Amino acid sequence: MKQGKIKNNIIDLRSDTLTTPTEEMVLFMNKAPLGDDVYKEDPTVALLEKKVAEMFGMEAALFCVSGTMSNQLAIKAHTSPGDEVICDRSSHIYLYEGGGIAVNALCSVKLIDGDSGRIAPHQVKESINNPSDVHQPISRLVSLENTTNRGGGAFYDFEDIRKIKKVCEENGLILHLDGARLFNAISETPQSPKDYGEVFDSISICLSKGLGSPIGSVIIGKRSFIDKTRRFRKLMGGGWRQAGSLAAAGIYALDHHIPLLKEDHRRAKQIGEILKKSGYAEEVMPISTNIIMITPRNCNAIDFVAKMKDKNILCTAFGDRLVRFVTYLQITDSDIEEFKRRMVGCSS
Ligand SMILES: *Cc1c(COP(=O)(O)O)cnc(C)c1O
């Protein structure tokens, strides 16, 4: 089922968004019953939303186009204009969503310097503004990322999440999780989706990354919150009609692909080892899940990416110093072997 793909001899490790549907997934998608989801009449979308809500023990869910959309809908639904959102400096909601917090929710941001994208309970506490001081925006929402993207696939210790929740409860703050890669974290830790559902007010998960759907993300929370996000999704032009085939891909992914994430993590560690031995990397950051972050030796990130491209290996530069490689469903053991062949004897 995991067809090896070195397409045109290229090993593409830029992102786990590059997953393509397997044949089995396509067959399942083609059989999905359809209806108009703006009328709430697509049975497959309804089934996906029910499935995810139940998995996390939460009241309701909404199927969205992208993780960006589900994060943005959540932030907008949780806040009022002028409120402040607390998050890590490197978080996706701040760096990679087009300034959406300002545009969509009209909110300001309090940035925390976390550890590989993870913020600590005391940092959250210290970031809360005094609600009776009229100079300061009202701290409303804390947003965590798990696993972290720019932080290199690191995941939280669940005890820290519980402590952050406590700080939120004591200060009347809402807690959102950007769980684009939450199942990668869940694969490596004892907690279940329901544990996360108990702690967070809302969770956004991506079906289109490691889980292998072509498109889609789901936002989960209380029914009244989901009703609000549904309204905002329509306003943004994200109300979709016969979306059931895409929802079916999500159902298939949740039923079949979660156990495969650990394989991606194993291969990521192999890539890390190969990069260490190759002499190309000055530093390989600790690898927790499917993301490998390195700093190249003797060159900047852009030049390193170009050097790799000459070997038909694709990776992504993050700023001047960092380079990211990501494993996913279509990266097989034979791709890793081939990656190794291309990297050995190349130390500079
Ligand atoms: C990929 C990603 C998203 C959502 O990205 P889309 O491309 O909009 O689906 C959100 N948060 C994190 C941490 C991500 O890595």
Side-chain angles (χ1 to χ4, degrees), residues 66-68 71 92 97 145 149 178 180-181 206 208-209:
S66 66
T68 298
N71 279 331
H92 195 281
E97 298 187 4
E145 200 171 293
N149 176 10
D178 176 356
R181 298 188 180 83
C206 281
S208 61
K209 291 192 168 153

Side-chain angles (χ1 to χ4, degrees), residues 45 48-49 61-65 207 215-218 233 240 243 246-247:
V45 172
L48 170 70
E49 290 173 346
L62 185 79
F63 186 36
C64 296
V65 170
L207 303 165
I215 290 173
S217 169
V218 180
R233 187 187 65 173
W240 44 11
L246 294 170

